[in-house]
Amino acid sequence: MKKWQDNKGWLFILPVFLIVAFSAIVPLMTVVNYSIQDIFGPGQSVFVGTEWFREVLRDQRLHEALWRQLLFSGLVLLIEMPLGIGIALLMPAKKGFGASLVLVTLALPLLIPWNVIGTIWIIFTRPDIGLMGAAINAMGLTFDHTASGLHAWITLMLMEVWHWTPLVALLAYAGLQSIPPAYYQAAKIDGASSWSIFRYIQLPKMRGVLTIALLLRFMDSFLIYAEPFVLTGGGPGNTTTFLSIYLVKIAVGQFDLGPAGAFSLIYFLIVLLFCYLFYQALLNVGGGKES
Amino acid sequence: MKKRYITLTVYLVVIMLPIYWMLNMSLRTNADIMAQLVFFPTDITFSNYMKIFTDPAWYNGYINSIIYVVLNTIICLVTALPAAYAFSRFSFIGDKHVFFWLLTNRMSPAAVFLLPFFQLYSTFGLIDTHIAVAMAHCLFNIPLTVWILEGFISGVPIEIDEMAFIDGYKFPRFFFFVFVPLIRSGIGVAAFFCFMFSWVELLFARTLTTTAAKPIAATMTRTVSASGLDWGLLAAAGILTIVPGALVIYFVRNYLAKGFALGRV
């Protein structure tokens, strides 16, 4: 694509650059400061080098939280991506009242504040007043996410899938809408099966939006905080203590700024690494860049 | 064809079920909720909603949330529009690096920035103001807005700009009266995303405010009283947090599908 060679471009991005620098670089440097100092109080601190990093990297509970987080994000992606694509394939292709209704309904969970999501699911799964909790108990099974770690996980997964699959579906649907009808006509003439239409027309055409969906879903599931915090508070025990919850516990609960700073930087780097890998992998699948 | 729509309908019903259950609770008194499980409530009462609409501590939460969300959306759009234009039209030193750096901020865990933000905004005396929350939300909303708008702007051929300049348009006039109307659906979609991510965020909003700018999501913890949780009130407050979002979706519904597709990676 043609572009003007002109450093005047910097003038245009200056406002964005300044605002984001103010709210990103200054706090990030503060975190770096925390991570290499032992802070006793205002103005009282000692340089400790990499001590906090060593301490954090050896922290058994952090390792557990990291594996838990990876398992959670992995499961979320494995369920939400295929399900979202499936839903998008079912959606009506033509514009009209039906399509609008489906779109609005799908987008609804996305616009609920995250702690309200937690509240909805507390209400929904309570054995005494919740529909789901009561229904499961009526079947003779005991279900209580405050007592059993497994049940807490099931509830969290259900909530996460309920909450975010619509985003994948909306993105995939947008990708499907961008396919010209001529492609389908050509496939029909060639007598292509619906599987090969999906594999060779729809899937490649959705690659761009699916990359966005995968990246967004990975980032947000890896950074999840409010929903499990409201629903289970990280419990029972530590079974749903994900990285963010553990970090806030250290930083705000125990006010250990040094370890929290070191933890933050490591956390940030892990997210960056994964996003970079996904991005590269998806660009290379199917060969070459495509709009 | 039939089977397809039945599956879809079942899925949509599943989506609506938890929300319906909350709506159901919000229309009943706490005693009624604890007493029995009813799918279609008969004794409908609006007392929970009345309480929220008459108690300033409650309805101020909504006003605060809406103020900072709107502020955030305005800041994001005003600054991101020229930036997205630059990323799409100009090639300049460090353009790709700055773009990637912007995106990395979308990936930074909010929990990481919690304490530094508190310190930073305390220094400027901004704690408990709407602008503090709006600025904090810019951290993840500006990158997203730039990303979305860049996709839309790249969908408009650069020749249109060149023709306009040949026709004697000065840049500001061209930008505001020719270009912005061309990508108005993109602006709508970007605004939708800004609104959405700012509206649903709680961690920053709660940390940076105490009373004067306290968001509704934080106010909801008020339902715990000496007599335990008031489920009906909690549900009513929850239902009311869905309303602004539902209105916004309704207005952008026709752009929604198109908007997603044009955002490039």
Side-chain angles (χ1 to χ4, degrees):
Chain A
M1 184 158 164
K2 192 176 98 176
K3 282 188 179 185
W4 302 317
Q5 293 280 340
D6 196 338
N7 283 329
K8 214 164 59 187
W10 267 99
L11 281 180
F12 288 87
I13 67 166
L14 206 59
V16 160
F17 188 81
L18 289 179
I19 289 188
V20 178
F22 177 74
S23 31
I25 293 180
V26 179
L28 194 63
M29 285 321 290
T30 320
V31 173
V32 172
N33 265 338
Y34 290 156
S35 71
I36 52 170
Q37 290 179 350
D38 197 348
I39 299 167
F40 307 112
Q44 288 176 297
S45 53
V46 178
F47 179 77
V48 294
T50 56
E51 195 188 308
W52 297 132
F53 286 92
R54 268 178 284 164
E55 186 187 310
V56 164
L57 286 175
R58 285 203 203 98
D59 184 354
Q60 196 59 43
R61 300 214 301 176
L62 179 108
H63 294 176
E64 284 165 16
L66 178 63
W67 289 122
R68 212 174 279 139
Q69 184 75 68
L70 285 171
L71 179 67
F72 181 74
S73 289
L75 280 175
V76 161
L77 290 178
L78 272 180
I79 299 174
E80 287 180 8
M81 295 298 289
L83 187 62
I85 296 172
I87 300 294
L89 289 172
L90 292 177
M91 282 163 71
K94 273 192 236 94
K95 266 191 184 166
F97 177 74
S100 291
L101 186 74
V102 174
L103 279 177
V104 172
T105 314
L106 274 181
L108 209 52
L110 299 175
L111 279 146
I112 305 173
W114 292 343
N115 65 322
V116 179
I117 298 269
T119 310
I120 290 180
W121 281 84
I122 287 181
I123 293 178
F124 195 58
T125 55
R126 288 233 344 174
D128 52 348
I129 58 170
L131 184 63
M132 190 184 125
I136 292 176
N137 282 332
M139 285 189 284
L141 303 164
T142 46
F143 186 85
D144 187 359
H145 63 72
T146 56
S148 150
L150 180 68
H151 293 175
W153 266 77
I154 294 173
T155 315
L156 267 179
M157 290 304 297
L158 271 176
M159 177 179 76
E160 184 69 13
V161 168
W162 174 83
H163 185 187
W164 285 110
T165 306
L167 181 76
V168 182
L170 284 174
L171 282 164
Y173 179 66
L176 287 176
Q177 293 280 296
S178 68
I179 303 174
Y183 281 53
Y184 292 117
Q185 285 154 14
K188 207 172 180 184
I189 292 166
D190 291 345
S193 66
S194 51
W195 166 250
S196 42
I197 290 180
F198 174 71
R199 173 65 189 79
Y200 296 104
I201 299 177
Q202 291 171 328
L203 203 56
K205 275 286 175 188
M206 282 194 286
R207 203 177 69 217
V209 283
L210 287 182
T211 310
I212 302 178
L214 185 70
L215 286 175
L216 281 178
R217 280 317 305 130
F218 174 74
M219 289 176 209
D220 289 337
S221 67
F222 208 77
L223 307 178
I224 189 167
Y225 176 81
E227 301 96 317
F229 181 75
V230 172
L231 192 66
T232 61
N238 273 324
T239 44
T240 54
T241 302
F242 297 113
L243 285 175
S244 275
I245 293 185
Y246 189 43
L247 177 58
V248 174
K249 240 181 222 172
I250 295 179
V252 184
Q254 307 168 6
F255 219 68
D256 288 335
L257 293 182
F263 186 169
S264 301
L265 291 177
I266 296 169
Y267 193 0
F268 192 17
L269 286 178
I270 294 174
V271 183
L272 270 187
L273 177 74
F274 273 103
C275 286
Y276 180 76
L277 290 178
F278 280 142
Y279 185 63
Q280 288 300 323
L282 277 156
L283 275 187
N284 294 329
V285 169
K289 236 181 156 170
E290 183 236 14
S291 60
Chain B
M1 219 50 181
K2 270 266 173 59
K3 220 164 71 186
R4 169 177 166 169
Y5 288 120
I6 291 170
T7 322
L8 189 62
T9 312
V10 168
Y11 179 73
L12 292 180
V13 168
V14 169
I15 290 246
M16 290 309 292
L17 215 50
I19 300 178
Y20 169 73
W21 196 248
M22 195 161 73
L23 181 69
N24 175 343
M25 307 235 121
S26 74
L27 295 172
R28 296 156 62 192
T29 62
N30 205 37
D32 186 24
I33 292 169
M34 297 312 278
Q36 54 180 336
L37 215 65
V38 198
F39 198 79
F40 296 106
T42 43
D43 302 332
I44 287 178
T45 163
F46 288 96
S47 61
N48 295 319
Y49 290 98
M50 284 315 291
K51 184 159 184 202
I52 289 170
F53 283 124
T54 49
D55 183 353
W58 270 108
Y59 63 74
N60 277 340
Y62 288 98
I63 296 171
N64 290 333
S65 288
I66 288 172
I67 291 176
Y68 72 68
V69 167
V70 169
L71 266 176
N72 171 265
T73 310
I74 292 170
I75 297 175
C76 284
L77 286 180
V78 167
T79 58
L81 252 177
Y85 184 80
F87 282 122
S88 165
R89 294 301 195 235
F90 293 102
S91 143
F92 50 92
I93 296 172
D95 52 353
K96 287 191 183 65
H97 302 99
V98 176
F99 195 69
F100 185 72
W101 169 70
L102 278 178
L103 281 185
T104 60
N105 290 307
R106 177 65 181 74
M107 305 167 198
S108 56
V112 168
F113 286 137
L114 222 48
L115 283 172
F117 263 44
F118 193 79
Q119 277 200 330
L120 183 68
Y121 288 117
S122 302
T123 315
F124 286 91
L126 286 174
I127 293 293
D128 208 16
T129 56
H130 301 107
I131 192 78
V133 184
M135 286 288 288
H137 286 176
C138 282
L139 180 69
F140 47 82
N141 267 349
I142 281 188
L144 197 72
T145 318
V146 173
W147 192 13
I148 294 171
L149 286 177
E150 199 263 352
F152 273 93
I153 292 176
S154 296
V156 178
I158 198 169
E159 283 73 20
I160 289 190
D161 306 30
E162 289 172 342
M163 288 296 282
F165 296 139
I166 291 168
D167 287 348
Y169 272 97
K170 286 275 175 292
F171 184 78
R173 196 163 154 241
F174 158 75
F175 193 74
F176 291 110
F177 295 102
V178 180
F179 200 76
V180 168
L182 272 178
I183 54 160
R184 62 178 186 278
S185 58
I187 295 174
V189 171
F192 167 75
F193 274 91
C194 279
F195 184 95
M196 162 178 155
F197 279 110
S198 184
W199 181 254
V200 299
E201 207 276 343
L202 171 75
L203 207 48
F204 281 143
R206 199 185 55 189
T207 312
L208 298 175
T209 58
T210 47
T211 47
K214 198 175 182 182
I216 178 60
T219 316
M220 280 176 68
T221 46
R222 271 167 46 93
T223 52
V224 190
S225 66
S227 58
L229 268 173
D230 188 344
W231 293 107
L233 193 60
L234 187 69
I239 287 293
L240 288 178
T241 63
I242 305 179
V243 173
L247 286 177
V248 173
I249 310 175
Y250 183 76
F251 285 121
V252 297
R253 68 189 185 285
N254 290 328
Y255 298 124
L256 216 56
K258 201 172 136 206
F260 279 115
L262 284 167
R264 296 182 311 146
V265 178

